[in-house]
Amino acid sequence: MFDEAAPEAHPTAVIAGRVMGIRRMGKATFMHLQDESGKLQVYFKSNDLGEAYELLHFIDLGDILGARGYVFRTRTG
């Protein structure tokens, strides 16, 4: 469905929800956001965010977060 070689061609989305899970893995962070319609995973890469990546350490479980970016499917679906 999505061409992994050209993420800028993917549809973009703007979402918001309560942070239900956080997994920090070195230069990548995954967060699960949930609202009344369901749950989505948000992926943050330090290469894409630069110095702003450090701001993710201020986000805690239960915080309300908004995110905008490209939609893609992971290898595990």
Side-chain angles (χ1 to χ4, degrees):
M1 179 173 175
F2 299 116
D3 178 10
E4 297 304 322
E8 63 280 352
H10 296 191
T12 59
V14 178
I15 63 167
R18 185 170 303 275
V19 178
M20 302 302 287
I22 301 173
R23 288 191 331 271
R24 293 182 173 97
M25 308 173 103
K27 294 185 177 187
T29 298
F30 296 89
M31 291 188 192
H32 290 270
L33 300 185
Q34 183 172 339
D35 67 3
E36 68 276 354
S37 64
K39 186 192 278 190
L40 284 175
Q41 182 176 5
V42 182
Y43 173 57
F44 301 95
K45 287 188 343 185
S46 65
N47 291 348
D48 291 343
L49 296 176
E51 291 180 16
Y53 184 77
E54 297 301 319
L55 297 174
L56 295 178
H57 292 287
F58 294 105
I59 298 172
D60 295 316
L61 291 177
D63 288 351
I64 304 295
L65 183 70
R68 179 184 57 192
Y70 302 110
V71 176
F72 68 95
R73 185 176 302 273
T74 64
R75 282 184 242 128
T76 59

